Amino acid sequence: MTAPPVSTPAQTARAATTGAVWLPRVLLLNLVVEVLIVVTGGLVRLTGSGLGCPTWPQCVPGSYTPVRHQAEGFHRYIEFGNRTLTSVVGIAALLAIVAVVVWADRRRDLLVPAVVVLGGVVVQAVLGGITVLTGLSPVTVAAHFLVSMGLVTAAALLYYRAQGPAGPRTLSVHPLVERLGRATCAVAAVVLALGTVVTGSGPHSGDADEPARLGFDPRTVSWLHADAVMLFVGLVVATWVAARLTGTTSAPGRAWAAVLAVTVLQGVVGYTQYFTGLPWAVVVVHMLLASLLVVTLTRAMVRQRAVPRT
């Protein structure tokens, strides 16, 4: 047997430099496409294109792509485009795992969320098929969106956690602030879940001809959603103030300030869509901001812990 080649210091340095450049780029791409597919999925629903490809995994019987004389018209292209983007998301998730293995020395704190994202993409593909086969059941549509939010969270955790070295991290805020942050994230999950109930009870069912609804009164569930949002806003403000007062660095306060900014903007857009009759373009912005809110929340939780001391 021959001994494996030994890397020279220069080769090791070049590999480290390459990893420092490309690892964050690959992980950022992974995060961006996860957010993007939420937006395109919203377009599918809001334009009534959910059954633009009426079968799964084929678009129409006998073809995986739209056909020329398909009855669904332009809706087929919107739905097929979203399905195609799923492949892009899967490739980006696979690249993220490879990047962690090659350039991050298989760090467990990075490898776990990377694997979660890739596994979640597979789950989403199957769930998307179930959604089509059940005629856009509002329950499966809601689950589809909430799983997407979970994948955005994992991708954001992967990206921001990779910006620091491996190892345990010490709190840079008072322990109660971290607990308050966790409570804020929990309420955010409730807000997102109630948002799917509002959408599932409103006019945007995903299919322009045969809407499937949850059956709740849209105004009542909208008020309930708004109440949860008010609680969330209060928690965000409290966490931001506490992080600024107790933080050993300015990073936690700045991170929670970003959460507050996205929250306020999301609230403005939310009330705008409610009082203007839910125009689909405004709802798309609302979905984008929901994804960005998840990203900023994840970033804020990561920023509450300092890098390991050397």
Side-chain angles (χ1 to χ4, degrees):
M1 290 180 61
T2 58
V6 179
S7 299
T8 65
Q11 290 173 327
T12 302
R14 281 196 298 270
T17 301
T18 301
V21 172
W22 284 102
L23 179 63
R25 293 180 179 179
V26 172
L27 300 186
L28 180 59
L29 172 65
N30 185 45
L31 175 57
V32 169
V33 295
E34 284 293 345
V35 172
L36 183 59
I37 200 168
V38 172
V39 176
T40 60
L43 283 174
V44 169
R45 182 185 185 98
L46 297 169
T47 58
S49 304
L51 294 178
C53 286
T55 62
W56 187 88
Q58 295 180 324
C59 182
V60 291
S63 176
Y64 287 92
T65 60
V67 297
R68 183 175 182 181
H69 300 293
Q70 193 173 329
E72 287 75 18
F74 75 92
H75 296 297
R76 66 187 186 270
Y77 298 116
I78 298 176
E79 166 63 7
F80 179 72
N82 187 62
R83 291 190 183 188
T84 303
L85 186 59
T86 300
S87 301
V88 177
V89 172
I91 293 172
L94 183 59
L95 288 176
I97 293 178
V98 173
V100 170
V101 171
V102 174
W103 293 315
D105 197 27
R106 294 184 173 90
R107 280 175 52 180
R108 180 177 175 82
D109 61 332
L110 303 183
L111 194 57
V112 170
V115 171
V116 167
V117 173
L118 181 60
V121 171
V122 176
V123 171
Q124 282 290 68
V126 175
L127 190 55
I130 295 174
T131 301
V132 172
L133 297 177
T134 57
L136 304 182
S137 165
V139 175
T140 56
V141 171
H144 205 37
F145 174 77
L146 293 176
V147 171
S148 290
M149 292 297 97
L151 297 185
V152 170
T153 300
L157 176 62
L158 175 61
Y159 174 67
Y160 291 112
R161 193 70 172 82
Q163 294 176 2
R169 300 184 175 198
T170 57
L171 270 177
S172 55
V173 294
H174 192 280
L176 290 177
V177 178
E178 186 179 47
R179 295 174 190 172
L180 190 59
R182 291 175 180 172
T184 304
C185 292
V187 174
V190 173
V191 169
L192 291 172
L194 288 174
T196 65
V197 176
V198 173
T199 303
S201 303
H204 300 300
S205 67
D207 182 59
D209 299 321
E210 298 182 9
R213 304 289 73 210
L214 286 173
F216 298 113
D217 175 56
R219 178 174 296 184
T220 301
V221 293
S222 295
W223 287 345
L224 183 60
H225 177 61
D227 290 341
V229 169
M230 291 177 186
L231 174 59
F232 175 73
V233 171
L235 287 171
V236 170
V237 172
T239 309
W240 169 55
V241 172
R244 289 197 51 164
L245 292 176
T246 68
T248 57
T249 69
S250 61
R254 292 199 307 268
W256 281 103
V259 175
L260 180 59
V262 175
T263 300
V264 171
L265 184 57
Q266 179 73 314
V268 171
V269 173
Y271 278 106
T272 299
Q273 69 175 10
Y274 179 77
F275 289 113
T276 56
L278 299 175
W280 70 265
V282 180
V283 179
V284 167
V285 175
H286 198 56
M287 295 184 68
L288 172 61
L289 288 173
S291 299
L292 296 181
L293 181 60
V294 169
V295 171
T296 54
L297 273 171
T298 305
R299 175 176 176 266
M301 294 301 293
V302 171
R303 292 288 189 264
Q304 290 182 154
R305 288 190 171 269
V307 297
R309 296 177 180 177
T310 57

